[in-house]
Amino acid sequence: MEDQIMDAASSSGRTENDTLFDAPPMAEQERMVEAVLFASAEPVTLRDLEGRMPPGCNPREALEHLRKRYEGRGVRVVRLGDAWAIRTAPDLGFLMQKETTELRKLSRAAIETLAIVAYHQPVTRAEIEEIRGVSVSRGTIDQLMEMDWIRLGRRRMTPGRPVTFVVTPDFLDHFGLESARDLPGLKELRAAGLLENRPPPGSLPLGQGGDEDDEAEEQAELFEE
Amino acid sequence: MEDQIMDAASSSGRTENDTLFDAPPMAEQERMVEAVLFASAEPVTLRDLEGRMPPGCNPREALEHLRKRYEGRGVRVVRLGDAWAIRTAPDLGFLMQKETTELRKLSRAAIETLAIVAYHQPVTRAEIEEIRGVSVSRGTIDQLMEMDWIRLGRRRMTPGRPVTFVVTPDFLDHFGLESARDLPGLKELRAAGLLENRPPPGSLPLGQGGDEDDEAEEQAELFEE
Amino acid sequence: MAEQTLFSEADTSVEERLAAEALIVDVDGFEGPLDLLLTLSRTQKVDLRKISVLELAKQYLAFVEKAKELRIELAADYLVMAAWLAFLKSRLLLPPDPEEEGPSGEELAAHLAFQLERLQAMRDAAARLMGRDRLGRDFFGRGEEESVARIKTVTYTANLLDLMQAYARIRTKEDFRPFVMDRDSVFTMEEALDRMRHLLGFTGDWTDLISYLPDGWHSDPVKRRSATAATFAASLQLVKEGKAELRQSETFAPIQLRSLDEDT
């Protein structure tokens, strides 16, 4: 069918009209209209199409072909006032639900808490508070759990048997990590220029003192494959 | 042709498989995939498609049909790793001056670093430095990560367990690559031994050999399907 | 001889001399010694696989010499490379010593050639990559994302950089707080002086200075160090005031103190 249109366009060009002589075949014009409608952020007017396409093109005809081609497909060529656009077929609207999610930046408290869980897991709430230097609100933890980025780990075998938090596979997925072990350490962050400031020379090492051995052991367990 | 497939899908559903029984015909699945891909500016993963389509659908097969259907058209169905997207045909770029986005100017160091990550992935910072013969400046890695063209890979199982870098689906999308295997000249470079991390004989001022076996394996994994 | 290849005016054209000068003046424009070597290797006009590493070493050393003459400061890694190339050159020129350990000159030269070829290959690859049809320039994504407002869910998001920077911020906060002495483990000289003035009266005999440390300051090394220093400083003050005398039998022996105050 395209061949027929192409022939018609080029033969009419050859015989009747000098400006049409150099115009691309209709199939090519249809491709152009298709690409422009797809990539444009707004519906495109005929005049706009004419302005963009090579001289001698007939966007109206190309649009008609394109509209026919998309009949019954998952998307349609629709006319909106004097402009044209490609739109999802109305019966498939149910597939578009995901497009309506609103993205919001995570709060500073949440991202800091998340970072501490990622780097120190399994970590208790008290430990998170000690590292951040401020208390962690219930809501922050709840939010991160609801997002399925952190979950409860094993209880710590210390008095009170506090619950611990670890990151989830969803977290790894979202941040494009193979495992939490792949997070760069402070030295690596600094080397990569991710730390704006440098510590004064001779400052103490950054590691938390205390029961590091204990923790390291537990971490090793957690990170084993 | 689609009709045949449709029949095959629905008849097998009727006779063999209860979960397939309710799956829409393949032509309908193709419409769905078409609608979802058209509606989204970002590549859509196979997993995402599966999640959005009715149970029993086979988006991979639908995608193959759709890809064939759009061959030679103004827009194309392209594969980017595990994700799929619709993109305009490159030969029609001249129509899109309005849509052209100012590409961020990258330094020579950043471009070289990007190429090294793409061809040598997973690659450590030390290896990048060995290949370029200079240290990677502050901010180069940072910039490439911010652009979402490289991300952290698995840590290398060598002393110090250094972090590695790999390229992202966004990188593939930007450069129109179906997968890292399709990097231009990859085969030739590999055949010429230029992607090896050849340990220097004795000690060299520039050398820092890696664990080659480990790395070769990891690379193979990455460049495989 | 090496000078000739780069800097002799007799057999080089004006263009080549200009290029050579540009090399020198623009040494900052090189991304390290390997980049410089790669540029120099182009004067050989051969396949990188057939390059003469010996010739290249000579050119590099001549370059470094010239830079010295012109009093251009070369970064340390250029000088390290120069030293290494001088070593390589001697290895390549001298007959191999059967006694000598380590890789041969040829092996070292081959590896350098490999490094140059690999760097060039990566540069070519980078150029090909950047020359590809690119999203947003040659081909385009959907201009108008469709939004069918059905379910409105709020998704919170953050990227890896946010996460890593947040962590770095927390963990380095400590480094940048204003300097404050940790009062918990510091025993001041004033405190020590108070304590010793009080205790000195009861000890007419020579007494080990350590016995003046307050209770609870012995075991923790940080506290012990602070208390010892304060007590020692306080004892010096007492000696200065003529209220006590100090003695030590030999280096590192215990320091002993006794009261001089006859009245108390």
Side-chain angles (χ1 to χ4, degrees), chain C:
Chain C
M1 170 188 167
E3 297 273 324
Q4 275 173 6
T5 44
L6 253 185
F7 305 112
S8 149
E9 312 214 345
D11 57 358
T12 53
S13 69
V14 175
E15 256 178 38
E16 277 173 274
R17 266 185 290 126
L18 282 177
E21 269 169 36
L23 276 184
I24 287 176
V25 175
D26 196 24
V27 67
D28 284 342
F30 288 106
E31 301 218 21
L34 211 54
D35 184 27
L36 172 55
L37 278 168
L38 198 54
T39 307
L40 290 174
S41 72
R42 286 199 193 105
T43 61
Q44 289 192 24
K45 294 192 176 97
V46 292
D47 186 335
L48 272 175
R49 284 166 184 254
K50 295 177 190 139
I51 199 161
S52 160
V53 169
L54 182 60
E55 190 56 38
L56 192 59
K58 286 175 182 167
Q59 286 178 13
Y60 186 95
L61 293 171
F63 174 89
V64 170
E65 274 307 307
K66 196 73 189 171
K68 269 190 204 150
E69 265 173 47
L70 294 172
R71 295 168 189 272
I72 292 172
E73 290 252 348
L74 285 178
D77 49 346
Y78 286 86
L79 301 177
V80 170
M81 178 58 94
W84 185 79
L85 286 172
F87 163 75
L88 175 62
K89 196 176 117 189
S90 69
R91 277 251 164 146
L92 289 171
L93 289 175
L94 296 173
D97 179 352
E99 301 284 296
E100 195 140 320
E101 301 262 311
S104 70
E106 278 70 26
E107 285 172 325
L108 295 173
H111 188 74
L112 180 61
F114 166 73
Q115 284 180 298
L116 291 173
E117 201 192 340
R118 184 173 58 180
L119 179 58
Q120 186 57 53
M122 279 302 109
R123 293 205 169 150
D124 295 343
R128 258 183 295 176
L129 197 57
M130 300 316 276
R132 284 182 70 85
D133 287 332
R134 289 165 67 182
L135 181 66
R137 189 188 69 183
D138 306 296
F139 61 93
F140 298 84
R142 183 66 160 141
E144 187 183 15
E145 271 188 274
E146 277 187 56
S147 48
V148 182
R150 294 209 165 199
I151 303 170
K152 191 184 165 198
T153 48
V154 175
T155 302
Y156 290 92
T157 184
N159 64 35
L160 191 56
L161 273 183
D162 296 335
L163 186 79
M164 295 189 300
Q165 277 164 346
Y167 187 67
R169 192 170 60 226
I170 304 162
R171 295 319 300 266
T172 53
K173 201 164 46 185
E174 295 285 306
D175 298 355
F176 309 111
R177 66 170 189 183
F179 183 72
V180 183
M181 280 291 260
D182 200 345
R183 310 300 297 191
D184 282 356
S185 3
V186 174
F187 194 60
T188 64
M189 190 183 121
E190 284 73 28
E191 287 171 304
L193 209 52
D194 261 9
R195 181 175 166 80
M196 290 178 76
R197 279 189 211 286
H198 182 66
L199 290 176
L200 203 57
F202 302 102
T203 52
D205 273 339
W206 288 107
T207 314
D208 194 333
L209 197 65
I210 297 303
S211 62
Y212 286 90
L213 298 197
D215 290 342
W217 289 73
H218 288 269
S219 47
D220 179 354
V222 177
K223 287 178 135 187
R224 182 182 168 88
R225 190 163 50 216
S226 172
T228 307
T231 304
F232 179 63
S235 69
L236 292 178
Q237 178 64 30
L238 291 172
V239 170
K240 194 176 158 196
E241 289 173 10
K243 291 188 173 144
E245 58 182 340
L246 279 170
R247 77 172 186 190
Q248 188 179 27
S249 53
E250 57 178 338
T251 315
F252 300 123
I255 296 168
Q256 295 178 314
L257 178 90
R258 86 175 166 193
S259 168
L260 268 185
D261 203 339
E262 300 299 331
D263 302 337
T264 51

Side-chain angles (χ1 to χ4, degrees), chain A:
Chain A
M1 178 180 163
E2 288 93 43
D3 291 17
Q4 283 173 1
I5 293 161
M6 215 174 79
D7 284 349
S10 47
S11 67
S12 75
R14 236 170 274 133
T15 53
E16 290 160 25
N17 196 320
D18 272 346
T19 59
L20 272 178
F21 184 71
D22 287 317
M26 186 45 70
E28 195 57 24
Q29 294 188 33
E30 196 190 318
R31 286 182 77 228
M32 292 178 186
V33 171
E34 186 177 35
V36 171
L37 291 197
F38 172 79
S40 176
E42 281 161 23
V44 185
T45 62
L46 263 181
R47 229 179 108 188
D48 193 6
L49 279 171
E50 261 160 26
R52 287 194 194 203
M53 289 164 73
C57 281
N58 185 345
R60 182 181 289 278
E61 194 186 332
L63 267 167
E64 255 336 296
H65 289 299
L66 195 66
R67 167 137 82 166
K68 284 223 180 69
R69 185 188 289 276
Y70 277 100
E71 259 167 24
R73 306 289 319 156
V75 293
R76 309 181 308 168
V77 175
V78 296
R79 187 177 178 157
L80 305 155
D82 61 349
W84 297 77
I86 296 179
R87 290 276 188 269
T88 311
D91 65 313
L92 298 176
F94 71 97
L95 291 168
M96 302 304 136
Q97 292 174 352
K98 221 180 163 174
E99 247 62 43
T100 65
T101 53
E102 186 187 326
L103 290 182
R104 274 190 214 163
K105 212 87 176 137
L106 211 56
S107 72
R108 180 171 164 154
I111 187 93
E112 286 187 7
T113 303
L114 182 64
I116 292 167
V117 174
Y119 275 88
H120 290 264
Q121 64 173 347
V123 64
T124 67
R125 184 168 163 164
E127 285 160 355
I128 296 170
E129 293 184 338
E130 195 198 325
I131 294 167
R132 279 196 71 213
V134 285
S135 65
V136 175
S137 79
R138 183 74 236 175
T140 302
I141 300 252
D142 282 348
Q143 185 191 9
L144 292 173
M145 289 187 74
E146 209 169 276
M147 293 172 77
D148 208 11
W149 279 356
I150 68 171
R151 62 174 178 80
L152 292 173
R154 266 185 288 176
R155 280 182 187 274
R156 181 66 55 78
M157 291 304 154
T158 49
R161 308 195 0 120
V163 295
T164 64
F165 299 96
V166 296
V167 292
T168 63
D170 265 26
F171 165 88
L172 297 176
D173 202 33
H174 181 92
F175 289 92
L177 292 165
E178 306 255 359
S179 87
R181 280 174 306 184
D182 295 328
L183 282 168
L186 280 181
K187 244 191 232 154
E188 289 165 317
L189 290 175
R190 185 168 288 129
L194 291 170
L195 276 179
E196 285 312 314
N197 303 307
R198 276 158 200 287
S203 71
L204 289 167
L206 296 161
Q208 288 283 105
D211 55 341
E212 216 170 332
D213 285 346
D214 233 22
E215 223 174 286
E217 225 169 81
E218 243 183 286
Q219 271 187 10
E221 248 172 72
L222 194 85
F223 285 133
E224 266 352 296
E225 226 111 352

